[in-house]
Amino acid sequence: TEGDAKRGDDGTREEIDASSCGRCVNLIGFSFGARVVYACLKELLRLQELWDEERFSPSNKVNIVDCDDGTSFICAREPKSVVGNVVVMGMPAHVKRDKWASIRERVVAGRIVNCWSSRDDVVKLLFQYRRKLGSIGAKGEVVGCQPVGVEGVEDIDASEVVLQHEDWGTKVRDVFALVGEL
């Protein structure tokens, strides 16, 4: 949603400033929290593209990134150096393989893990309802219910652990047993 994107944009800029000590952060979220993580990743990708354009500009000496909204943003470090690993679980969003591939290639240093469950009926019903309303396309695949299918993105089937949407929050330890060490 628009709110997820706004939280992702704000959180991303704060993370770039706060993480100037040089350590990477791991981003982990389930359900709508996973959407916020995805929004952060998309914003980092956008900022990385701006960084790449600006850093080769002879007039840019202090890592200033000019944003589309007319604001400028001083990056303490390169956007692609912020995120170490990403785990999204039961994410209610469409699969956009080209975006996932770009994020994999240009933003995340470590692992990207998509945990999904074919038994997550809440996410399935949400998207069926949105399709009936005409607010989304008829063929959209949902990240939280199936693999993303992009090289470098690990798809973990948590269907044996997550029997319903609410399980993402209560069975995090079991899901992370499938994910392994980050």
Side-chain angles (χ1 to χ4, degrees):
T1 65
E2 213 173 290
D4 296 331
K6 179 70 174 139
R7 283 186 290 279
D9 293 353
D10 292 346
T12 302
R13 292 180 187 192
E14 289 172 18
E15 194 56 54
I16 289 174
D17 283 342
S19 63
S20 60
C21 63
R23 293 188 178 163
C24 291
V25 297
N26 292 327
L27 299 178
I28 300 167
F30 67 88
S31 189
F32 282 97
R35 283 182 64 106
V36 174
V37 167
Y38 186 59
C40 285
L41 295 172
K42 291 191 301 187
E43 178 66 4
L44 278 169
L45 177 61
R46 189 182 73 78
L47 290 173
Q48 182 62 44
E49 290 167 350
L50 290 171
W51 172 284
D52 289 344
E53 290 172 16
E54 293 289 328
R55 97 176 138 162
F56 295 112
S57 169
S59 64
N60 189 358
K61 305 253 190 289
V62 291
N63 300 331
I64 297 174
V65 174
D66 294 319
C67 298
D68 298 335
D69 61 5
T71 63
S72 292
F73 177 57
I74 299 174
C75 291
R77 63 191 276 194
E78 191 170 4
K80 74 178 179 184
S81 68
V82 173
V83 178
N85 299 292
V86 173
V87 179
V88 293
M89 299 171 278
M91 186 168 87
H94 281 105
V95 175
K96 295 180 179 166
R97 288 182 178 83
D98 58 334
K99 192 65 76 174
W100 280 96
S102 295
I103 288 168
R104 167 70 277 167
E105 180 182 334
R106 304 196 62 202
V107 176
V108 180
R111 295 171 64 193
I112 299 178
V113 182
N114 169 44
C115 298
W116 59 278
S117 173
S118 60
R119 297 178 176 188
D120 192 340
D121 292 332
V122 170
V123 171
K124 288 179 193 174
L125 289 171
L126 172 69
F127 277 82
Q128 286 176 2
Y129 177 72
R130 289 186 64 199
R131 279 190 192 104
K132 287 192 184 288
L133 291 177
S135 62
I136 60 175
K139 294 185 179 181
E141 300 168 295
V142 183
V143 176
C145 298
Q146 65 191 42
V148 171
V150 170
E151 186 177 339
V153 175
E154 299 172 45
D155 289 305
I156 295 179
D157 183 356
S159 299
E160 294 302 314
V161 174
V162 177
L163 307 179
Q164 57 187 353
H165 189 71
E166 294 77 18
D167 289 346
W168 290 114
T170 59
K171 297 188 177 178
V172 172
R173 190 176 306 261
D174 297 328
V175 172
F176 265 84
L178 298 172
V179 172
E181 190 172 325
L182 292 179

